Amino acid sequence: MKIALVGCGAVTQAVYVPLLSRRRDLFEVSAVCDLSRTLADAVGERLGAAGRFTAVGEMLDAGGFEAVLVLASGSHGETVRRALAAGYAVLCEKPLALTRAEVAVLPSGRLMVGYMKQYDPAVRRAEEVLATLGGPEVIRAVEVTVLHPSGESQLAFANLEQARDVDAGLLGSLRAAEGALVSRALGESAPEAVRNLYGVSLGSICHDLSLMRRFTGAPSEISYVETWGAAPGSIEISGALPVRGRFSIRWHYLEDYPAYRETVAIHHDQGSLELVFPSPYLMNAPTTLTVVSGAESRTEWRDVTEAFEVQLAAFHAFVNEGKPPLTDVGGGLEDIVTAQRIAARYAVQHGLPIGGEAA
């Protein structure tokens, strides 16, 4: 299947380039696009892509591919809209967009939202075990802890190509446009603390929201939100699950922490399921699933299959065989709505202004 890539930054270079290089049985990269000609040329050279662009519109018009992978940073709404309108299938890295309004104007088409942890073999095994126990009805609590060191430290091994050739005025206009989208989501008067919380919720915590959607369904209530420390700092979120029980998320940005660590524990009436995720940039590093059951027995399960690779194969099956993705436009929208409810709860608790869609 011939594909095009939008965005040639850190995740593309560290994850997608090596995966697409070894999965030439599924994909041929025909075109790449980035604001930086340096990055477009570097990634295009590594993947053998003849088409190298610095404008999405030019790439879509040139064609020569069947599907588009949207891997750039920031809101993806407009790029996804244009790709779908042009008739291409789309795999969009999370988040789908920054506002509900962007999602509302998406044309119908083949769209998959990329939450690679949903495709992790340990997560799929945990889903199977939970189903045998009785599903969401037996869950007492979901507890999430994320220890997040700097992105630079997580990517130090990757020797990334850097972009130094993008016009400063263009970058400024793009940041202003993204700020306007956040204002549409949260209101013009939303203070920086609320905006930062929203950014972390959609940029990182959304992975945990996506896992809860798989295990329990989206949270039915956001009861409490607190932040502390210099932004992005630490964030605590708790609330009710849609069927039974409650959840808590504690997310900590610890710049000099030795290694990324994410733990998702599901406590049910008969025991616990615990998932421990490594850094997402470490290819084929296993997620550990520990099953705690009767008489204090503990079973550990690991699989070195790369979740990003499983996700890519699922996208290929979606486009060519019609197999539905784990997250479609509806799931992507649910996470945007939950992030807005998190921001609104925090604002209400602290007497801060909140408007826009989140109001």
Side-chain angles (χ1 to χ4, degrees), residues 11-12 14-23 26-27 93 112 114-124 157 207 277-287 301-315 326:
V11 174
T12 299
V15 175
Y16 282 95
V17 166
L19 285 178
L20 291 169
S21 296
R22 75 190 193 198
R23 293 313 306 262
L26 296 181
F27 301 102
E93 268 286 353
M112 171 176 169
Y115 287 100
M116 87 292 185
K117 288 175 183 174
Q118 292 185 333
Y119 290 91
D120 191 304
V123 171
R124 305 309 299 274
F157 72 93
H207 277 299
F277 297 88
S279 169
Y281 304 116
L282 297 178
M283 304 290 287
N284 299 98
T287 298
W301 190 83
R302 295 180 177 88
D303 189 321
V304 297
T305 303
E306 173 53 49
F308 274 108
E309 186 171 353
V310 179
Q311 178 177 266
L312 281 171
F315 180 60
L326 296 183

Side-chain angles (χ1 to χ4, degrees), residues 207-241:
H207 277 299
D208 303 297
L209 300 179
S210 79
L211 292 176
M212 283 200 290
R213 279 194 287 106
R214 295 297 304 168
F215 292 131
T216 71
S220 61
E221 171 199 318
I222 306 298
S223 307
Y224 177 82
V225 182
E226 189 54 272
T227 67
W228 62 98
S234 292
I235 298 169
E236 182 175 355
I237 306 164
S238 64
L241 296 172

Side-chain angles (χ1 to χ4, degrees), residues 94-96 112-119 123 127 130 136 139 142 144 205-220 241-243 247 249 264 266 311 325-339:
K94 57 76 186 170
L96 174 57
M112 171 176 169
V113 184
Y115 287 100
M116 87 292 185
K117 288 175 183 174
Q118 292 185 333
Y119 290 91
V123 171
E127 287 185 68
L130 185 61
I139 294 176
V142 177
V144 177
I205 293 174
C206 64
H207 277 299
D208 303 297
L209 300 179
S210 79
L211 292 176
M212 283 200 290
R213 279 194 287 106
R214 295 297 304 168
F215 292 131
T216 71
S220 61
L241 296 172
V243 177
F247 76 93
I249 299 172
V264 178
I266 302 170
Q311 178 177 266
L326 296 183
T327 294
D328 57 11
V329 64
L333 178 60
E334 275 191 302
D335 293 342
I336 295 169
V337 171
T338 301

